[in-house]
Amino acid sequence: MGNIFLFSLIVGLAAALVLIPFSKAKNKEEKKQPKAGILIASIILLILAVFAFYYLTNLDRNLTSVWVLAIITTAAGALFASGKERIIKAFLFLGSLAVAIIFLTAFLFNANEKYEITKMTEKMEIETFDENETPASVPPQFARNKMKKAFGQVPNTSYYELGHLQIQKVNGEYVYIAPVEFSGFFKWLNGDETPGYFTISATDSSANPKFMKAEMVYTPSSYFSKNIERQIRMQYPQYIFYGDVQLEIDDDGKPHYIRSYGEFISARNGFDVKGIVVVDPKNGKTKDYKLADVPAFIDGAVSPEVVSLQNSYFGNYIHGFWNSKFGKKDVRLPSDEGTEANVSPIFDENGEMYYFTDFTSPKEGVDSMLGYSLTNSRTGEATYYTGNLEESYMDSQGALQIIEKKFIEKKWDGEMPVLYNFYGEASWLTPVLDANGFLQNYFIVSAANPEISVYGTTPNEALKLYKTALQRGGGTVDGSSKAEEKQISGTVVRVYKERVGDFTIISFLLDNTQSYVISSENNPMAIYLQEGDQVNVKYLDTGEGFLPAKELTIKGLQ
């Protein structure tokens, strides 16, 4: 608290000295005492006003943050003064006005610098998704609904409400985390601390939420000195923060609040992330880290708000500020379909978290995607993927529109569309929810060929259907559109049949020790396949463990 008192004292004293006129008192001795009283009262009031403003707003306590106050006090001081004092204060007013103009117009001149700071490495396509993995595809709205239904696990339930939901990796599992927050000021007075947080699987839609006990005193919903943002500001009065505080859970289940900090690009405008502040919510202890030194358990060191801002810089300012408003040459607008601050967190095969965003044309009525980006959530480093330049990719809004039309009678909608490389085909994977926010299925549609689409009750089920749909529709499989078509005859050694949606997926092993897979959708007679059958198989040599069969002939049946 010492810093804010000292800062308020200095700023309040300086403002009072500028605001109170002294020139008239020199000519009238009898008015000296009243003027001294007015000066003291003005200083006290201004100090209190400055203290209240910075305490309530949590604004950084740098001298540049007082520029508005400087304009007001110098203008009023020049108005009340006379003679040479008026001239001096008029110059101070002009100086503060010049500083204000610089601050207010900085965005016109630092657009190129914003673009250079957020410039991304460019590639054509992301790596092919491993179909043995399960994408973190449970939509946050569905997870939140489940947590609300399990809120009875919280002691003194009426005191609390569910806080902000976010995804992270804990002990190798992808989970959603949501803290329990106070539901109001008087509930905070009575409760003093929150009891813990909820966690639920981000990959298994059938999983149920678990309430984890962890007493937290410093939270976003606490008040006065126990408010987490105020606690951070008191410890780091001059840091520049951007984005909301986030809850991160370490591998021992202990909660930590974090917030991203950085620097202005220029003149209190723009933001460039540099590190994070970590707070123990039980005792309020804080520690700051540069991005390179962030603890391993923290996934979202760079807040989604920061990434969204970076995407805006990168997409809009490629040729400066004015081009972003008028000519719009090469401008690409980041999508607003993300689940957190217009971006969607996803994980790669190594468990690294990235923020996904697709970019579209600024031209109205165009749903063609210009590219997409993945930003590392720990380092802030981003890669922009152009996609296959010979093809036109549909953006996330287009994918959502297809889902809306597909289930128009049921009034189901898509949420959290994310672009994956499934079998070499850029494809949108989107959970589909009903009007009550309950998960109904997973929809996959090709970004280059929207007529190729499937849906299943799980992501892996939808993937199996999508694989056969790509074969039927002429799409690519396993990253190669030039897979050689071959033919073989043999005896069936083992057969496995699995019902997926409206069709059956048949996997079979021949006596050559090679496995094949085919769907009853494009070969209905395959459902009669048995061990010992003599078959003739036409397949694509993709190099997979289960080669996709295009045709299957069973000797004696066909």
Side-chain angles (χ1 to χ4, degrees), residues 512-524:
N512 65 349
T513 70
Q514 178 63 57
S515 298
Y516 304 84
V517 61
I518 194 168
S519 171
S520 63
E521 182 180 10
N522 59 340
N523 199 316

Side-chain angles (χ1 to χ4, degrees), residues 18-203:
V18 173
L19 188 61
I20 300 298
F22 295 97
S23 54
K24 292 181 181 179
K26 293 179 180 179
N27 300 325
K28 297 181 180 179
E29 287 292 318
E30 67 275 14
K31 291 189 178 181
K32 281 186 176 180
Q33 190 63 35
K35 287 292 176 68
I38 293 174
L39 177 61
I40 293 172
S42 299
I43 291 174
I44 293 173
L45 288 174
L46 283 168
I47 290 174
L48 291 175
V50 171
F51 176 86
F53 175 79
Y54 280 91
Y55 183 79
L56 294 174
T57 63
N58 282 325
L59 187 66
D60 64 282
R61 297 194 281 275
N62 294 289
L63 287 178
T64 55
S65 67
V66 303
W67 65 274
V68 175
L69 178 62
I71 293 176
I72 296 172
T73 54
T74 54
L79 180 65
F80 296 146
S82 61
K84 291 182 179 180
E85 183 183 353
R86 172 172 286 185
I87 295 174
I88 294 172
K89 292 182 177 179
F91 274 112
L92 290 177
F93 170 70
L94 292 175
S96 62
L97 197 61
V99 171
I101 292 173
I102 292 173
F103 286 173
L104 293 173
T105 60
F107 68 93
L108 298 174
F109 306 103
N110 63 10
N112 290 329
E113 190 175 354
K114 289 175 179 176
Y115 175 77
E116 289 300 324
I117 286 174
T118 58
K119 195 172 183 180
M120 304 180 187
T121 303
E122 289 198 8
K123 293 183 179 180
M124 188 179 81
E125 207 74 84
I126 54 176
E127 296 291 329
T128 304
F129 182 80
D130 184 356
E131 64 179 303
N132 294 317
E133 298 290 331
T134 300
S137 51
V138 174
Q141 182 182 343
F142 176 68
R144 189 174 184 84
N145 284 344
K146 276 199 163 188
M147 288 181 180
K148 285 182 176 180
K149 292 183 180 303
F151 212 73
Q153 301 177 37
V154 180
N156 297 318
T157 307
S158 62
Y159 281 29
Y160 309 107
E161 62 186 11
L162 196 64
H164 176 70
L165 188 79
Q166 65 187 68
I167 193 172
Q168 70 172 104
K169 185 179 180 182
V170 180
N171 286 319
E173 296 183 1
Y174 305 126
V175 295
Y176 282 111
I177 302 293
V180 173
E181 299 283 2
F182 292 108
S183 59
F185 176 73
F186 293 104
K187 301 299 174 61
W188 169 74
L189 282 178
N190 293 325
D192 191 48
E193 61 187 23
T194 59
Y197 60 90
F198 277 96
T199 177
I200 189 173
S201 173
T203 58

Side-chain angles (χ1 to χ4, degrees), residues 360-427:
T360 189
S361 170
K363 187 175 181 180
E364 293 185 9
V366 176
D367 61 1
S368 176
M369 184 176 68
L370 301 180
Y372 54 98
S373 68
L374 290 177
T375 304
N376 190 296
S377 62
R378 285 175 55 86
T379 66
E381 296 178 358
T383 303
Y384 182 76
Y385 296 89
T386 62
N388 189 337
L389 297 177
E390 296 180 0
E391 297 180 341
S392 179
Y393 286 177
M394 172 180 59
D395 65 11
S396 58
Q397 187 60 42
L400 293 176
Q401 290 173 356
I402 288 178
I403 293 173
E404 183 180 358
K405 293 175 182 177
K406 182 76 173 179
F407 304 106
I408 190 169
E409 293 182 359
K410 297 180 178 180
K411 297 182 180 180
W412 293 354
D413 294 304
E415 182 186 329
M416 196 178 76
V418 176
L419 194 74
Y420 287 92
N421 185 342
F422 291 142
Y423 314 114
E425 186 89 1
S427 313

